[in-house]
Amino acid sequence: MGRYGDIDYPTFTKYGFLLGLSSLVIGALGEIVGTSLYGTLPGWETMLFTDMEAVGILAMLFSPFVFGILLPLTE
């Protein structure tokens, strides 16, 4: 048994990347579709979609690094 228990690193890596990708896509589509259907969106919605895009990009970058490289090396 490893230091962090019995963690399935490849699964966490894949699902973390897919979670980040889905957050990025939902944020981008929300911004595009919301603006095209309703015109100008309120400030909080624009900020929500922008934050979703930023968090999605960060999750896509850090999930493979943390669960695919860093944690398996520290076992």
Side-chain angles (χ1 to χ4, degrees):
M1 185 146 124
R3 179 177 174 185
Y4 299 110
D6 192 22
I7 297 176
D8 187 18
Y9 294 117
T11 302
F12 275 98
T13 304
K14 291 173 194 171
Y15 287 142
F17 184 82
L18 289 176
L19 180 69
L21 180 65
S22 64
S23 177
L24 175 67
V25 168
I26 290 170
L29 285 178
E31 184 93 25
I32 293 168
V33 172
T35 304
S36 66
L37 289 179
Y38 300 111
T40 304
L41 294 175
W44 68 271
E45 287 182 357
T46 303
M47 189 54 126
L48 174 71
F49 291 136
T50 304
D51 287 346
M52 284 179 71
E53 291 173 12
V55 168
I57 290 170
L58 289 175
M60 286 172 46
L61 289 174
F62 286 119
S63 178
F65 177 73
V66 170
F67 292 111
I69 299 171
L70 184 69
L71 288 180
L73 286 177
T74 59
E75 279 274 332

